[in-house]
Amino acid sequence: MKASSQAPGSAADPDGLEDRLRRFATIWSRAIFPVTATSLTRPELEEHLLPMARTLSAALHARPFEPQAAHRVGTALVQAHCTDAEALSRTLGVIDAYLVLYCGSGDPEPTAEESRARCARLQHALAAGFAQGLRERTLAEQEAIARSSLLARSDAVQALHATEARFRAVFEGAAIGIGIADLEGNVLEVNETLTRMFGGLEHHVRGRKVTDWSHPEDRPHVWQLYRELVRGERDHFRVEKPFFRNDGTVLWTNLTVSLLRDAEGRPQYQLALMEDTTERRLLNLRLRYEATHDALTGLPNRTLFFERLEKALSGGEGSRFGLCYLDLDGFKAINDSLGHATGDRLLVEVADRLQSCATASGEMVARIGGDEFVALTTGPETQREVDDLATRILAALASPISVDGREFTVRGSIGIVEGPAGERTTAEVLRSADITMYRAKSAGGNRFELADPEADARAITRHGLTTALPAALERGEFFIEYQPLVHLGDGSVHGAEALVRWCHPQHGVLGPDQFIPLAEHTGLIVPLGRWVLQEAVRQARYWQERHSDGGPLRINVNLSPTQLHHPGLVAETVDVLERSGLAPGALCLEVTESALIGADEELLKPLRQLAEMGVDIALDDFGTGYSNLANLRRLPVSVLKLDRSFTQGMQRHPADPVDLKIVEGIVSLAHSLQLAVTVEGVETGAQAEQLRELGCDTAQGWYYARPGPPDKLHALSLADAV
């Protein structure tokens, strides 16, 4: 069958890319055709530019990104006789305005920010390729000029006219500026390109002395090279040199100066070749600014800040630095409720205020992301200056900020790190500042805190434990110890509380207070709590089977606030009990009093369901929270666990009568509500006896046994049975 042709935008070109590339090439050709010295017509130039457009489009979407393709496009422009500086300037303008617009879609499609960044780097690479191509062409022309000069001196007189004609053609038609001066520096000849570079008037260039064109930004060795050349000590030199034009503007050039000698080899003239690099330099400066400054606020960004901080930390003896790490309090709520546009305008206002706080020498403010800012100060007195800087920042934020007719009161938390240079790396300083900032936020915000090495170490350890938690559960690093619950009436083992431990590879055995809050924060408490419940229930069932009379040895398992909110709590508990064969009445779930303060019916519902099944609910740490005794009537609890703080006074002799009265009253109230009372922290026989006399039901503490392995508890229960 005969293959049918596919039009652009059809199945062969589903997104119409070829059509858009041709439109891009059309715009490009119209922009540069008037300044291009070529024999091509404009449509022919368009066809010549189309493959280059395809190359730029492919480079825009390439993964990994490789801007070198644009470098080849710049070189190809020179080869196509597009050598005028205006052709480069117009090309960069077309790419900046239209490349992403016409060639921006791809698979996968980059973000708008990534596309703009890639487009800027492609412009930079194209300009570099154009410069290299122009330089290579210049060197070829220079060689032709030198060859013509030698031929003019060595050929017979009858060939002189033809040689000079060729020299004049190269001289006048060169795409770069060319000038000839004598050894005293008087400019004798200039071509049209060089004249245009200096403003277009020949008398502003011809007749002047080379030394008139000194510039404050000349490199120190430029004029030393020039003196060596005119003395005949070198044949050429190449430098980057700025010049003042007649109107006061600056012309930046790549300048090559060569020495021309007479037939006997004596220095006679100097030949200068100038490539105009002003546009490229401005482009580089613009790209550098965009790469080192925040697009929203105009402040230095993370890149520039890290450069400054590294420089400050590498200072010599006696150098110090002070760093303020600022995070706005509650900014996320503004973004979420009022939108990112309002949030962005607020950040701009905040940035302006912060900028006004860091105006002294050695101070700078940067935005390093989101609503996070840093302020840096350097010098010998940073111990005092950094505190003053943080105080100024908080004061500057104190006044309300008006955005779109709304007034916002902005607060901030600041972490301060100060010290001598050379002792810490950039990463260590930023980590300490970040940790300290979060300490300020945890303390209520709108304040600053000073870095504390011990606090840093604790935070780093917490972070390490948090990171290691998920893998620790998978590797089986957790285990359970059991502390017996003893019946105060006859001293028998009534049950046990399951207490989870973490056998950490580096830190050894860790208690629950060291990792349970971290598990709560990360959400890992749900799978960890499920594992503890499974293991504890399985162990309780094993004890019942081994117990001499098969009695209902109970197991107490702690529930965290996060587990209370987990929708699968009831179903998972039922599943664990059914799989193990343990009766619900042999399980007691302990919930802290603070977790149930102000609890609504929705939160209490799963506890009620478990209680209706026969599972006991214990109110743990009773007395340490609000202790609204009237609230006990609506809670589905069957056990009160008195905190150890109530029994500490009983360790003295005689016992504190106030503590005795409080415990007696709580026990009386609990029993009137048909609640059992368990007391924690029993450490002496005298305590145990007093608690028995006060009517407490069960107790646990070191007097009976410390938490230990399950076989230890089984031994205690067997001893009771004897």
Side-chain angles (χ1 to χ4, degrees):
M1 293 179 63
K2 182 178 179 181
S4 60
S5 61
Q6 295 284 356
S10 65
D13 185 22
D15 58 358
L17 176 60
E18 189 64 25
D19 277 347
R20 290 184 279 111
L21 283 172
R22 185 165 289 280
R23 289 197 293 274
F24 177 79
T26 300
I27 295 171
W28 190 2
S29 67
R30 287 172 178 169
I32 68 172
F33 182 72
V35 293
T36 299
T38 177
S39 60
L40 298 176
T41 64
R42 194 205 59 76
E44 289 172 340
L45 178 62
E46 178 181 326
E47 290 298 325
H48 196 74
L49 293 176
L50 185 57
M52 301 185 200
R54 294 191 185 104
T55 299
L56 292 174
S57 175
L60 181 66
H61 301 290
R63 293 189 182 275
F65 177 61
E66 178 50 66
Q68 191 63 27
H71 188 283
R72 295 191 293 272
V73 171
T75 303
L77 280 176
V78 175
Q79 293 170 352
H81 306 293
C82 302
T83 56
D84 194 285
E86 184 66 19
L88 173 62
S89 177
R90 294 186 183 189
T91 292
L92 295 177
V94 168
I95 292 174
D96 188 52
Y98 298 104
L99 182 62
V100 174
L101 178 64
Y102 283 105
C103 311
S105 62
D107 185 18
E109 183 173 352
T111 63
E113 182 178 353
E114 184 182 0
S115 293
R116 288 194 299 271
R118 287 187 168 203
C119 183
R121 291 185 62 188
L122 289 176
Q123 294 176 65
H124 186 275
L126 187 145
F130 186 92
Q132 180 178 332
L134 198 59
R135 187 175 298 112
E136 290 172 353
R137 176 169 174 157
T138 297
L139 292 176
E141 291 174 345
Q142 180 182 0
E143 182 180 351
I145 292 171
R147 193 161 49 245
S148 296
S149 299
L150 290 173
L151 287 173
R153 288 195 299 267
S154 61
D155 284 352
V157 174
Q158 60 267 28
L160 181 60
H161 176 74
T163 303
E164 288 182 347
R166 288 195 299 272
F167 175 83
R168 182 57 57 185
V170 172
F171 184 82
E172 293 296 342
I176 63 170
I178 303 176
I180 298 176
D182 60 24
L183 296 182
E184 285 70 42
N186 300 302
V187 178
L188 305 176
E189 291 286 341
V190 292
N191 71 348
E192 183 180 351
T193 302
L194 189 142
T195 302
R196 287 201 308 269
M197 288 165 59
F198 277 88
L201 297 176
E202 187 175 336
H203 68 274
H204 286 161
V205 184
R206 190 197 298 270
R208 294 187 61 177
K209 293 184 73 69
V210 171
T211 52
D212 293 344
W213 279 311
S214 63
H215 190 279
E217 293 190 43
D218 280 335
R219 295 179 182 176
H221 67 291
V222 168
W223 293 103
Q224 176 60 32
L225 293 174
Y226 175 75
R227 287 188 291 270
E228 292 175 1
L229 181 125
V230 296
R231 290 197 301 262
E233 297 171 3
R234 63 171 55 244
D235 287 326
H236 67 273
F237 67 86
R238 181 179 300 168
V239 293
E240 183 181 35
K241 176 170 169 49
F243 294 88
F244 283 119
R245 296 190 181 97
N246 193 56
D247 61 2
T249 59
V250 177
L251 166 71
W252 279 90
T253 69
N254 276 336
L255 172 66
T256 301
V257 183
S258 300
L259 182 65
L260 300 180
R261 301 175 183 268
D262 61 17
E264 285 73 35
R266 293 188 297 269
Q268 188 173 23
Y269 298 107
Q270 45 183 317
L271 174 70
L273 305 178
M274 291 185 189
E275 175 195 356
D276 186 347
T277 62
T278 307
E279 288 291 333
R280 189 163 78 246
R281 182 178 178 86
L282 292 176
L283 174 62
N284 287 338
L285 291 175
R286 190 187 81 188
L287 294 176
R288 167 64 179 168
Y289 181 87
E290 291 175 352
T292 57
H293 286 75
D294 177 51
L296 176 65
T297 64
L299 291 177
N301 63 10
R302 176 184 290 268
T303 300
L304 183 55
F305 168 71
F306 269 77
E307 290 178 5
R308 297 284 180 85
L309 180 58
E310 287 176 359
K311 182 178 180 181
L313 294 179
S314 61
E317 185 176 352
S319 299
R320 300 185 71 88
F321 76 96
L323 173 65
C324 296
Y325 193 114
L326 167 69
D327 183 88
L328 301 184
D329 298 333
F331 178 76
K332 184 178 184 299
I334 296 175
N335 251 358
D336 293 345
S337 59
L338 300 178
H340 288 276
T342 299
D344 286 349
R345 286 192 284 275
L346 183 63
L347 287 175
V348 171
E349 293 293 329
V350 168
D352 288 343
R353 294 192 181 188
L354 296 180
Q355 186 70 67
S356 68
C357 295
T359 56
S361 175
E363 293 181 345
M364 74 169 293
V365 171
R367 181 189 179 207
I368 60 174
D371 60 336
E372 295 179 336
F373 299 84
V374 286
L376 178 66
T377 181
T378 56
E381 302 294 330
T382 54
Q383 289 171 294
R384 172 184 55 80
E385 292 169 354
V386 72
D387 285 2
D388 292 344
L389 180 57
T391 301
R392 293 199 303 273
I393 289 173
L394 293 179
L397 297 177
S399 302
I401 295 176
S402 179
V403 176
D404 297 336
R406 297 173 178 264
E407 283 201 342
F408 298 92
T409 300
V410 178
R411 293 156 51 93
S413 301
I414 299 176
I416 294 178
V417 179
E418 191 280 334
E423 293 187 355
R424 284 175 282 187
T425 65
T426 302
E428 289 170 343
V429 169
L430 262 294
R431 181 174 60 188
S432 179
D434 186 52
I435 291 170
T436 308
M437 179 272 291
Y438 276 106
R439 277 203 292 118
K441 194 176 286 287
S442 299
N446 199 35
R447 58 187 291 138
F448 63 81
E449 294 282 346
L450 301 178
D452 175 15
E454 294 184 1
D456 287 358
R458 290 194 297 270
I460 292 169
T461 299
R462 283 197 304 273
H463 176 73
L465 293 178
T466 302
T467 304
L469 268 170
L473 185 57
E474 294 177 3
R475 290 195 296 260
E477 293 177 4
F478 293 98
F479 66 97
I480 298 175
E481 291 187 331
Y482 299 88
Q483 187 172 36
L485 292 161
V486 177
H487 198 288
L488 285 170
D490 57 12
S492 62
V493 176
H494 179 70
E497 180 180 359
L499 300 168
V500 64
R501 305 286 190 255
W502 182 2
C503 185
H504 193 279
Q506 283 81 42
H507 301 290
V509 176
L510 304 177
D513 58 316
Q514 294 175 280
F515 62 87
I516 290 297
L518 305 180
E520 282 269 0
H521 180 69
T522 60
L524 191 71
I525 191 66
V526 172
L528 177 60
R530 185 186 306 117
W531 177 83
V532 171
L533 179 65
Q534 291 170 344
E535 288 297 304
V537 166
R538 181 192 59 78
Q539 184 63 56
R541 181 59 180 156
Y542 175 76
W543 281 330
Q544 286 186 357
E545 293 172 350
R546 295 286 301 277
H547 203 276
S548 58
D549 60 0
L553 195 64
R554 295 157 53 84
I555 189 71
N556 285 30
V557 178
N558 291 282
L559 281 183
S560 74
T562 300
Q563 288 175 277
L564 287 177
H565 290 84
H566 183 56
L569 173 62
V570 175
E572 290 177 0
T573 304
V574 171
D575 181 65
V576 169
L577 290 172
E578 289 181 348
R579 287 176 179 273
S580 67
L582 187 72
L587 173 64
C588 179
L589 298 176
E590 298 188 9
V591 184
T592 59
E593 179 187 17
S594 58
L596 296 182
I597 293 176
D600 57 18
E601 285 303 314
E602 189 65 27
L603 180 62
L604 295 178
K605 183 179 178 180
L607 293 181
R608 292 193 192 284
Q609 291 175 330
L610 291 169
E612 289 167 359
M613 290 167 42
V615 174
D616 280 332
I617 307 297
L619 197 59
D620 196 14
D621 296 336
F622 184 77
T624 59
Y626 184 65
S627 300
N628 185 346
L629 300 180
N631 199 36
L632 287 174
R633 299 182 60 183
R634 73 182 190 92
L635 298 179
V637 299
S638 53
V639 180
L640 290 186
K641 289 194 72 175
L642 286 184
D643 185 70
R644 67 182 63 245
S645 59
F646 288 104
T647 63
Q648 287 175 346
M650 298 180 187
Q651 295 180 12
R652 299 189 297 270
H653 185 77
D656 188 328
V658 175
D659 284 344
L660 292 176
K661 288 291 184 183
I662 292 174
V663 173
E664 183 180 17
I666 292 175
V667 171
S668 176
L669 174 65
H671 286 170
S672 70
L673 296 174
Q674 285 77 51
L675 302 178
V677 178
T678 298
V679 185
E680 297 179 301
V682 179
E683 298 184 6
T684 66
Q687 280 178 294
E689 180 60 25
Q690 287 177 329
L691 291 169
R692 185 188 64 77
E693 292 175 357
L694 291 173
C696 295
D697 300 293
T698 54
Q700 66 184 102
W702 286 7
Y703 171 64
Y704 302 105
R706 298 192 180 199
D711 56 347
K712 182 177 179 181
L713 185 86
H714 182 60
L716 286 174
S717 64
L718 289 178
D720 292 336
V722 175

